[in-house]
Amino acid sequence: MTSVRRLFSTLLLAAFLLVGGLASPAGAHPMSTSAVLLDIRDDRVEGEVQLPVDRLAIAVDRDLTRTSVLGEDRTFLKSYATQHISAVGEDGTSWTTTLGTGSVRTIDGTAHLVYPLTIRPPDGQVTDFRLRYDVIVEELLTHKVIATVRYDFDRGILKTDDAETLGVLDWDTKSLRVPADEGSWLKGFATTAGLGIEHVGEGADHLLFLLMLLIPAPLVAVGGRWRAADTSPRRGLVRVVHVVSAFALGHSLTLALAASGVVHVPSRPVETLIALSIAVSAVHAIRPLVARGEVLIAAGFGLVHGLAFASLIGDLGLDRGSLVTTLLGFNLGIELTQLLVVALIMPSLLVLARTTVYPAFRIGVAVIGLVFSVSWMLERATLTTGDPFEGVQTWLVGHPLLVAGTVAALAVTARLRYGAPWTAAGK
């Protein structure tokens, strides 16, 4: 049976390298975001456009700095942004779009080029219109632009509690409808829930962290080694509930605190700690660090992941209206995505865990997770300039059903051929 495990490990590693070779290099990290903030008034729309300088540099293929965006690149960048922002009324008439003088502002530890934005209808009366916007997203597949809106109803006084999350612009969605006279908390809730789903669903690091915690869930730690559980699969499902709940509690706490401005940590150390959390959970999947350690890891590092989630909404204007609604919607999106991942992968893991190939599968996947996490840590700590595995990570995240189907097929095959529960120690 040792030969079977070795063969499986070899095939798993070969498949990993093959996918890595075939996958094209990825674009930006899934957390790449910018913002458009709109204030609706009777005769005009005012607001601002926030453009992260590092993402802007990739989009325009220029070496940009905090100094150059206001110096030698100033005219070019303003022209570029103007060409990629427009507004059209419901009748198809173009509205006048003007960008003011740019400035550089640090948002979440990153330099942003910020332009004041003014949109005027031709007849001087703001009605429903469509915002067309593809700054940066026309070149970066993974970049997201979060749009928010506030409404001016009472004699020119801006009512901040009518703010809502308007939507998310990206490679596939380059225009949004902007209502002129209605704010809907339900629409904002649904939009931020969708943002939470996208953030986790497209974030290889968050998904990998969850997977590393799920792998040992069907097993028990005995004498510092993993053994197959002698009880029914129900025990594994209960531990999954504990893991997901612990992670949810951890990230919900810091998400609320960070988004409320109580705590603030720059994004780079947070992202590095997230990579570390994956490494720790991968090591735990290989050899248990502590009994029921995946629950403790989920709770502890859930606090760190919450800071990363908050960086997506804390400084982008999403909390200008009802912070509670925003947090609830975003959290709901995160939890729905986690439950979907569990539903897709956990049945296969429960079946595999009762076969003789699970040790090779568990160790092989954990080693891949460890390699990914170390690469992320080096890149996010600025010790390396890039991630050589970014292509395979993007491919895997982009094909979740294929990945889940492959694991399910493996589980069925292993159960039919090597179905005896594995009880031997030593792994």
Side-chain angles (χ1 to χ4, degrees), residues 80-114:
Y80 164 78
T82 301
Q83 292 173 15
H84 290 272
I85 304 174
S86 62
V88 178
E90 292 280 274
D91 58 357
T93 303
S94 296
W95 293 18
T96 302
T97 304
T98 306
L99 293 180
T101 301
S103 61
V104 175
R105 187 189 310 164
T106 300
I107 301 175
D108 193 32
T110 302
H112 282 62
L113 177 59
V114 180

Side-chain angles (χ1 to χ4, degrees), residues 220-227 287-288 291 425-427:
V220 291
V222 179
R225 298 178 184 273
W226 288 116
R227 290 180 180 268
R287 189 66 63 90
K427 292 292 181 183

